[in-house]
Amino acid sequence: MKKIKYIITSALIAIIAIITTACATNTGNWTPPLVGPYAWIYNLFGHPLQNIMLHVSNLLGGTNGAGWAIIIITFVIQLIVLPLRLSSQSKMIKQQEKTKRLQPQLSLIQAAMKKNSNKQMQLSQLQMKIYKDNNMSMIGGMGCLPLLIQLPIMMGIYQAVAYSKTLASSSFMGISLSKPSIVFAVVAAILYLIQGYLSLIGISEQQKQTMLITVIASPLMTLVFSIMYSGALGLYFLVGGIVIVIQQLIATFILMPKVRADVDKELTKHPIKEVINQAMIDQILNESSDQMSQNKSDEITNLHEQLRKRNSGKQNRNK
């Protein structure tokens, strides 16, 4: 489940790479794209954000005005998507808690799959039945809407700076907003690493192993994107990292205990249904063994029959 979510998230983030790489051809050319998808993105997001940033920068004044404009825009966007992300995390925690209760049955299926690869299809169907009979989805809790909302904002901030000579020449705390910033990249990556560590608190060792890919990949991708592209995008990730740490603190220490209590109450009224047990697994595997033995027996019988016919033919020719 987590691996699927990681793959989807990675695919969505890859869109940023494609678009920002195309936009990165702007080296000293302040004319925005006029045709094609990059022009649409600029007209819908880049240009409006550019105007907002210039306006806020003029209001605040000073050399850090553009940077503060990015921070304000980022906080507003993050606050808008925060309820969606918390809702998604609540569903994911609920899914994890229910999956934990199903783990004895799921472990039987996984062990049987390792023992007999010929029964993969039948065992996979039983696995789906375990989820279905307990009113659960195998990919429940996945929520990519918050990321989808943020994608155009990320691209818009990049374009706003890339196609404005004023913004491109701006800096924040002495760090250029148009050039990659190691400082922003490292701080942002550390914040996402802290968020990943917090997400592992209070969960089982098996769930930790499943989540390890995401915990490592998230700060790594943040570091790579922040280093590859402008300081403006790095600042966006940094501010987003602060919000994401706060979100994870809420999820770990407030949402998780509440959801666990709700799941316990729910399962008291509607206990986990047993779909599979060891006796049923043994029967399935034995049926497979019996079938293989029967097939081997049939093969031996056929071989003997062929040998008898061959010998009979030789005898007739000798006569």
Side-chain angles (χ1 to χ4, degrees):
M1 180 177 65
K2 282 285 182 181
K3 289 181 180 179
I4 296 173
K5 185 175 181 178
Y6 164 67
I7 292 169
I8 294 174
T9 303
S10 300
L12 290 173
I13 292 179
I15 298 173
I16 307 174
I18 296 170
I19 294 176
T20 51
T21 299
C23 295
T25 55
N26 169 45
T27 54
N29 175 21
W30 313 114
T31 303
L34 301 175
V35 294
Y38 308 125
W40 305 337
I41 293 168
Y42 176 77
N43 291 329
L44 287 173
F45 303 104
H47 191 239
L49 285 172
Q50 189 180 83
N51 290 335
I52 293 171
M53 290 168 66
L54 288 170
H55 182 67
V56 173
S57 180
N58 290 332
L59 285 176
L60 296 175
T63 57
N64 296 322
W68 284 115
I70 292 173
I71 291 172
I72 292 170
I73 291 170
T74 304
F75 265 118
V76 170
I77 297 303
Q78 293 291 335
L79 289 176
I80 289 172
V81 300
L82 183 60
L84 292 173
R85 285 205 302 241
L86 286 173
S87 174
S88 177
Q89 272 197 290
S90 179
K91 292 176 183 177
M92 187 175 68
I93 294 169
K94 185 176 182 179
Q95 179 82 358
Q96 288 174 344
E97 288 301 309
K98 285 190 171 183
T99 302
K100 192 189 299 182
R101 310 304 203 279
L102 295 177
Q103 199 55 51
Q105 296 185 66
L106 295 175
S107 296
L108 290 175
I109 296 284
Q110 290 162 3
M113 285 181 172
K114 291 179 181 179
K115 286 182 180 179
N116 193 326
S117 58
N118 295 323
K119 288 290 181 178
Q120 291 279 348
M121 183 65 70
Q122 185 177 352
L123 292 169
S124 295
Q125 289 174 348
L126 281 173
Q127 188 176 37
M128 288 188 286
K129 184 173 172 58
I130 291 172
Y131 282 97
K132 183 178 179 182
D133 288 3
N134 286 283
N135 297 315
M136 288 177 61
S137 168
M138 293 183 72
I139 56 172
M142 288 176 58
C144 294
L145 182 59
L147 182 59
L148 286 172
I149 293 174
Q150 292 178 81
L151 275 175
I153 306 301
M154 295 180 201
M155 294 181 285
I157 287 176
Y158 182 91
Q159 287 188 328
V161 175
Y163 297 114
S164 169
K165 188 174 182 178
T166 302
L167 293 174
S169 61
S170 300
S171 62
F172 183 73
M173 302 300 176
I175 299 173
S176 172
L177 294 178
S178 62
K179 298 177 182 178
S181 167
I182 297 294
V183 174
F184 288 162
V186 171
V187 174
I190 290 172
L191 287 168
Y192 277 88
L193 193 61
I194 293 171
Q195 183 267 333
Y197 170 76
L198 291 171
S199 69
L200 298 178
I201 296 175
I203 65 174
S204 67
E205 288 300 321
Q206 187 170 8
Q207 288 174 332
K208 286 180 181 179
Q209 292 298 321
T210 306
M211 293 178 65
L212 198 57
I213 295 176
T214 307
V215 170
I216 295 173
S218 183
L220 186 60
M221 287 191 295
T222 301
L223 181 67
V224 170
F225 275 96
S226 299
I227 290 176
M228 286 175 65
Y229 303 114
S230 66
L233 204 57
L235 184 59
Y236 177 90
F237 282 128
L238 190 157
V239 177
I242 295 172
V243 177
I244 206 77
V245 168
I246 295 171
Q247 172 196 318
Q248 191 59 55
L249 287 169
I250 295 171
T252 299
F253 298 106
I254 299 175
L255 275 183
M256 189 178 289
K258 181 181 181 302
V259 172
R260 283 178 172 172
D262 291 342
V263 170
D264 288 337
K265 288 180 183 178
E266 181 182 337
L267 294 180
T268 301
K269 296 179 181 178
H270 306 285
I272 293 292
K273 293 181 181 178
E274 185 182 82
V275 176
I276 194 77
N277 54 42
Q278 188 61 56
M280 295 170 66
I281 290 290
D282 291 340
Q283 183 180 355
I284 292 170
L285 295 180
N286 288 335
E287 285 176 359
S288 177
S289 298
D290 293 342
Q291 184 63 42
M292 288 176 65
S293 298
Q294 182 62 44
N295 290 340
K296 287 183 179 179
S297 177
D298 291 343
E299 287 177 6
I300 293 171
T301 302
N302 290 335
L303 182 59
H304 286 167
E305 183 65 27
Q306 290 173 8
L307 287 172
R308 280 197 296 268
K309 288 180 178 179
R310 188 181 300 170
N311 291 333
S312 176
K314 287 181 179 178
Q315 290 174 1
N316 290 334
R317 285 195 296 273
N318 292 334
K319 291 178 180 179

